[in-house]
């Protein structure tokens, strides 16, 4: 039996950009971001499942989440606990704000330096940015190798880990030793649902800030000495490192301009489904060489 | 020299289309900046490929030819690219937004502390004034990309850090050879001086390469179906219309999720970006994540039972009615009227 692994899953709370309904549109035709629900980034859930499967196979292994964001991102840690994780760290500090992918990866790598995992698993990319950069950038900062676009961790014998990757043109199987950063593609197995026992166990899990801000949560406050219910919060001072490399100052990329996509009504020709309309349209398309 | 670097992908002994597209773009950027275009060619048995890169405008080809560099592995390719960037100090470095480019790019940017923008849809040269400091920058690379699920278009700049790095998806830029290849210079990279054993900790055990069979990106006409098609059987009608018109079949994410079509046909933010001369949207409501992948189509015809479907806002023609019925009528009408 391989010795127990400590696995950290990188997860991000993202606005749900996939289903922008009418209620999330402003009158000027742009998206009202505040109206979008905050969700667990989908591919990070795929990553969590791969981590939990390793934990199932290798007795004594632990899965911890690491997320960076505002206080409400503690929801991500709780969601992970409900699904089978053992703990988590929320990186939250004003000095982390305004970070691009590089400054984000610096903060995460500093935290990982303190968490000391054997293996880091992350989603390939987050749906709000779709960059797929943070995983490899973290790996480089740690000087660890990486395996991106993973679909399945197929085996681990205590020495070699074998991973199937999903590429544009097919499938590749690779092996590596640990430590390693893996990023998981959305074609991987879906994450298991919440577990009722875990839900009961962790429903009062809170960060210190949450307990302070919500004294009315008497149950959660009464349980504040239970270690397993305390979600760790770290700021810049807790992870150390070069302050200039966090947040806005550590971000080489700057946003010069943002244009909202405006869905303006343009001239649209309305046609019915009757034979004449359809046939006239087809003839017109043939005449102007669009088809034929 | 502060030139422009393009990392060229090699697969099955061929330079990837996306790399030739980037050379074409790099050439025009180099012209604007008055600098040179340098191609990075990493792999094995590359002699035949250098001429092709000259044909697409490379002034210099840095060739790293070694059996260990093919197929692609993250760490060895990162080590070579890092070494060349440190040595040549390019102002811009471009890569394809492929599984390789998106594996390599962030690794390099993290090592060199340079800014990287993924999946750019447009690259331009322009000036920039930093709001906070008032400092002015001349001739920066504007890296333009959709973000936030395609709901915004962001222009990103890297004022201070070099190189300015960007990835671009295949099919986004035009690929255009020069009338005749220019005489360029090949510079051999001394691979063994750069690589070490630790770069080979990840090993490839097996590769099953499937040539992509479905390719809707290059299609001039796309007949695309959504969840409103109702079934896989009804989707067959779209294949018939596409075959009749000489086009390809596309699909919305909802249709792919429902199993009506293969993922390779998916158009939109999480699928392929297309810009055909004609896009026929059948039973597609037109969520932003879909329209982000097709709103550059020259002409859009929408067929939907719902006259108020959002897709109609970007359509040139909106047919309200039963989609199967209309598609059948189009096939019939085309057969009657085409020469």
């Amino acid at each position: 039996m391989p010795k127990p692994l400590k696995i950290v899953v990188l997860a991000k709370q993202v606005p749900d950009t996939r289903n922008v309904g009418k209620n999330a549109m402003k009158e000027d035709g742009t998206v009202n971001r505040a109206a979008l629900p905050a969700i667990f980034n989908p591919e990070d859930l795929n990553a969590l499942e791969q981590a939990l499967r390793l934990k199932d196979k290798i007795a004594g292994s632990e899965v911890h989440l690491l997320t960076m964001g505002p206080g409400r991102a503690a929801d991500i840690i709780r969601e992970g606990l409900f699904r089978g994780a053992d703990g988590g760290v929320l990186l939250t500090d004003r000095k982390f704000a305004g970070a691009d992918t590089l400054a984000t990866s610096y903060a995460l790598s500093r935290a990982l330096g303190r968490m000391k995992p054997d293996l880091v698993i992350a989603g390939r990319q987050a749906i709000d940015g779709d960059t797929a950069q943070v995983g490899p950038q973290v790996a480089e900062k740690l000087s660890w190798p990486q395996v991106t676009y993973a679909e399945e961790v197929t085996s681990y014998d205590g020495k070699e880990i074998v991973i199937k990757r999903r590429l544009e043109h097919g499938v590749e199987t690779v092996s590596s030793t640990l430590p390693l950063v893996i990023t998981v593609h959305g074609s991987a197995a879906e994450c298991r649902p919440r577990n009722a026992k875990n839900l009961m166990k962790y429903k009062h899990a809170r960060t210190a800030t949450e307990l302070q801000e919500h004294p009315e949560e008497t149950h959660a406050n009464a349980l504040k000495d239970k270690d397993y219910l305390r979600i760790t919060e770290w700021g810049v001072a807790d992870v150390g490192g070069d302050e200039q490399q966090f947040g806005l100052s550590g971000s080489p990329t700057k946003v010069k301009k943002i244009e909202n996509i405006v869905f303006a009504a343009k001239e649209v020709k309305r046609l019915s489904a009757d034979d004449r309309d359809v046939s006239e349209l087809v003839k017109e398309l043939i005449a102007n060489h669009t088809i034929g | 020299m502060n030139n422009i670097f393009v990392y060229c992908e090699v697969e099955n002994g061929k330079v990837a289309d996306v790399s030739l597209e980037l050379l074409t773009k790099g050439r025009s950027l180099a012209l604007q900046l008055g600098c040179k275009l340098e191609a990075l060619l990493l792999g094995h048995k590359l002699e035949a490929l250098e001429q092709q890169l000259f044909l697409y405008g490379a002034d210099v080809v840095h060739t790293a030819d070694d059996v260990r560099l093919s197929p692609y592995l993250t760490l060895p390719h990162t080590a070579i690219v890092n070494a060349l960037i440190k040595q040549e100090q390019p102002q811009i470095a471009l890569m394809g937004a492929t599984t390789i480019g998106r594996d390599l790019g962030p690794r390099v940017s993290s090592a060199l502390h340079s800014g990287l923008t993924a999946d750019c849809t447009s690259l331009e040269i322009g000036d920039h004034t930093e709001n906070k400091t008032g400092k002015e920058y001349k001739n920066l690379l504007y890296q333009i990309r959709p973000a936030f699920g395609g709901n915004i278009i962001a222009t990103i700049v890297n004022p201070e850090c070099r190189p300015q790095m960007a990835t671009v998806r295949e099919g986004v830029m035009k690929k255009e050879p020069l009338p005749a290849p220019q005489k360029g210079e090949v510079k051999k990279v001394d691979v063994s001086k750069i690589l070490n054993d630790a770069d080979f900790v990840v090993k490839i055990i097996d590769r099953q390469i499937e040539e992509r069979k479905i390719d809707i990106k290059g299609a001039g006409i796309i007949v695309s179906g959504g969840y409103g098609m109702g079934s896989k059987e009804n989707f067959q009608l779209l294949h018939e219309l596409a075959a009749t018109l000489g086009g390809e079949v596309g699909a919305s994410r909802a249709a792919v999720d429902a199993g009506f079509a293969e993922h390779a046909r998916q158009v939109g933010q999480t699928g392929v970006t297309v810009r055909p001369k004609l896009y026929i949207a059948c039973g597609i409501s037109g969520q932003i994540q879909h329209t982000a992948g097709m709103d550059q189509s020259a002409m859009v015809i929408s067929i939907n039972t719902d006259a108020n479907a959002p897709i109609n806002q970007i359509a040139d023609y909106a047919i309200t009615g039963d989609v199967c019925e209309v598609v059948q009528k189009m096939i019939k009408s085309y057969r009657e009227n085409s020469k």
Side-chain angles (χ1 to χ4, degrees):
Chain A
M1 193 61 165
K3 78 170 180 52
L5 288 178
K6 180 167 179 185
I7 305 167
V8 170
V9 174
L10 306 181
K12 185 180 185 186
Q13 190 177 47
V14 292
D16 192 351
T17 57
R18 295 171 306 174
N19 294 299
V20 179
K22 281 193 185 120
N23 52 355
M25 299 296 279
K26 290 191 266 189
E27 271 179 24
D28 63 0
T30 62
V31 173
N32 178 11
R33 293 184 225 180
L36 298 177
I39 60 166
F40 201 117
N41 179 52
E43 286 185 331
D44 297 343
L45 280 174
N46 297 111
L48 177 59
E49 177 61 24
Q50 292 302 314
L52 293 174
R53 285 181 181 197
L54 277 170
K55 179 187 153 179
D56 291 344
K57 276 186 219 158
I58 303 162
S61 294
E62 284 184 23
V63 173
H64 293 259
L65 290 120
L66 172 60
T67 190
M68 184 166 105
R72 65 171 181 275
D75 283 343
I76 293 298
I77 312 275
R78 272 187 291 273
E79 188 64 41
L81 293 170
F82 296 158
R83 293 178 192 242
D86 303 280
V89 174
L90 168 64
L91 280 182
T92 189
D93 193 320
R94 272 196 200 143
K95 288 175 186 155
F96 292 135
D100 69 359
T101 62
L102 198 62
T104 301
S105 66
Y106 183 69
L108 294 174
S109 67
R110 292 299 308 177
L112 288 166
R114 204 173 148 182
M115 293 171 87
K116 299 200 188 328
D118 306 293
L119 175 63
V120 172
I121 310 183
R124 174 191 52 149
Q125 62 189 36
I127 57 169
D128 55 344
D130 287 327
T131 71
Q133 284 171 195
V134 169
Q137 286 177 331
V138 165
E140 173 66 31
K141 295 261 176 276
L142 296 171
S143 298
W144 290 9
Q146 72 193 40
V147 174
T148 54
Y149 288 82
E151 191 168 72
E152 190 188 358
V153 176
T154 50
S155 71
Y156 174 65
D157 63 7
K159 191 166 169 286
E160 293 247 295
I161 187 164
V162 179
I163 297 150
K164 189 171 105 186
R165 304 178 70 209
R166 172 61 54 180
L167 308 180
E168 289 120 328
H169 303 287
V171 173
E172 187 177 89
T173 307
V174 301
S175 73
S176 177
T177 53
L178 299 184
L180 178 69
V181 173
I182 300 173
T183 74
V184 180
H185 189 257
S187 62
E190 268 187 47
C191 190
R192 62 195 64 183
R194 294 174 174 187
N195 167 299
K197 231 169 77 186
N198 291 335
L199 193 59
M200 288 311 290
K201 181 174 174 188
Y202 290 114
K203 67 179 175 184
H204 294 298
R206 296 287 183 275
T207 62
T209 308
E210 284 176 319
L211 290 178
Q212 238 170 38
E213 287 176 354
H214 298 280
E216 77 283 3
E217 287 193 307
T218 46
H219 239 92
N221 275 287
L223 294 166
K224 68 181 177 192
D225 294 330
K226 300 258 183 215
D227 271 350
Y228 69 94
L229 291 179
R230 295 301 294 275
I231 296 173
T232 309
E233 266 177 311
W234 284 347
V236 164
D238 300 297
V239 297
D242 174 7
E243 283 220 9
Q244 283 306 306
Q245 290 203 49
F246 294 111
L248 202 57
S249 65
S251 302
T253 61
K254 310 284 175 205
V255 176
K256 179 173 173 60
K257 196 171 72 175
I258 292 281
E259 288 167 79
N260 282 292
I261 304 283
V262 176
F263 283 82
K266 73 171 175 182
E267 276 300 296
V268 49
K269 270 194 184 166
R270 300 269 176 183
L271 304 175
S272 78
D274 70 23
D275 289 0
R276 208 181 52 121
D277 268 14
V278 173
S279 154
E280 284 304 311
L281 171 63
V282 170
K283 280 186 204 164
E284 193 182 319
L285 295 176
I286 293 172
N288 65 23
H289 302 287
T290 303
I291 56 177
Chain B
M1 277 295 276
N2 304 128
N3 289 329
I4 296 176
F5 267 20
V6 173
Y7 170 86
C8 295
E9 274 179 46
V10 180
E11 186 77 69
N12 299 334
K14 276 165 59 186
V15 178
D17 277 348
V18 67
S19 306
L20 301 177
E21 292 160 12
L22 286 173
L23 285 172
T24 307
K25 183 68 192 180
R27 200 166 81 213
S28 78
L29 294 174
L31 200 67
Q32 243 181 308
L33 293 167
C35 68
K36 287 188 167 168
L37 179 62
E38 305 190 20
L40 310 188
L41 187 61
L42 283 66
H44 188 45
K45 296 187 179 151
L46 303 169
E47 297 84 0
L49 303 177
E50 288 152 352
Q51 285 310 312
Q52 195 185 4
L53 304 185
F54 294 136
L55 182 62
Y56 280 85
D59 299 292
V60 177
V61 178
H62 297 274
T63 304
D65 196 323
D66 190 294
V67 65
R68 294 171 295 170
L69 291 174
S70 178
Y72 170 86
L73 283 169
T74 310
L75 296 180
H77 278 240
T78 303
I80 305 260
V81 172
N82 284 349
L84 284 169
I85 288 178
K86 280 182 192 155
Q87 182 187 313
E88 304 291 331
Q89 304 283 318
Q91 54 178 311
I92 291 171
L94 307 177
M95 297 176 190
T98 57
T99 48
I100 290 179
R102 296 171 113 231
D103 183 84
L104 173 69
R107 191 92 204 185
V108 170
S109 85
S110 185
L112 304 174
H113 194 79
S114 66
L116 167 64
T117 306
D119 295 358
C120 295
T121 50
S122 178
L123 298 170
E124 292 166 17
I125 302 294
D127 299 336
H128 173 70
T129 307
E130 193 69 21
N131 280 340
K132 231 174 172 177
T133 58
K135 195 169 169 192
E136 285 181 35
Y137 299 86
K138 291 276 173 215
N139 291 327
L140 290 188
L141 182 68
Y142 286 1
Q143 302 146 41
I144 301 161
R145 75 178 301 251
F148 221 73
N151 296 299
I152 61 169
I153 301 286
T155 302
I156 314 283
V157 290
N158 309 340
E160 292 289 346
C161 302
R162 295 291 176 274
Q164 307 164 79
M165 295 181 64
T167 66
V168 178
R169 282 197 207 183
E170 188 182 332
V172 171
M173 305 281 174
K174 263 192 318 201
K175 173 178 91 171
E176 211 165 21
L178 295 166
Q182 58 183 37
K183 186 80 200 99
E185 185 188 352
V186 175
K187 290 187 176 173
K188 300 271 180 215
V189 180
D190 190 347
V191 174
S192 56
K193 269 195 181 150
I194 299 169
L195 299 183
N196 63 59
D197 290 348
D199 293 328
F200 296 93
V201 55
V202 176
K203 296 179 179 66
I204 296 172
I205 301 172
D206 181 47
R207 303 186 95 207
Q208 310 256 347
I209 299 296
E210 302 151 13
E211 281 291 333
R212 187 168 23 188
K213 290 174 198 93
I214 303 164
D215 186 10
I216 63 169
K217 273 194 325 266
I221 297 171
I222 294 176
V223 180
S224 207
Y227 192 69
M229 289 304 297
S231 71
K232 201 170 179 179
E233 289 66 43
N234 290 347
F235 234 81
Q236 207 44 48
L237 268 178
L238 304 185
H239 285 276
E240 205 181 315
L241 177 59
T244 308
L245 300 179
E248 267 288 356
V249 172
S252 73
R253 182 179 191 154
V256 171
D257 287 349
F260 299 167
E262 305 92 327
H263 181 260
R265 299 195 184 278
Q266 187 173 316
V267 173
Q269 185 71 15
T270 49
V272 194
T273 300
V274 295
R275 41 178 174 188
K277 59 178 181 172
L278 175 62
Y279 192 90
I280 307 179
C282 306
I284 292 177
S285 63
Q287 286 186 346
I288 287 167
Q289 55 129 331
H290 181 74
T291 56
M294 48 67 70
D295 58 5
Q296 298 296 307
S297 306
M299 181 184 288
V300 176
I301 298 174
S302 132
I303 309 169
N304 209 300
T305 46
D306 177 7
N308 297 318
I311 188 85
N312 289 349
Q313 293 177 14
I314 61 161
D316 299 277
Y317 297 91
I319 305 175
T320 305
D322 179 78
V323 70
C324 293
E325 206 178 291
V326 174
V327 168
Q328 275 162 337
K329 284 178 184 173
M330 287 181 88
I331 295 169
K332 181 162 166 278
S333 173
Y334 181 80
R335 287 187 179 143
E336 284 168 6
N337 291 294
S338 69
K339 281 140 254 165

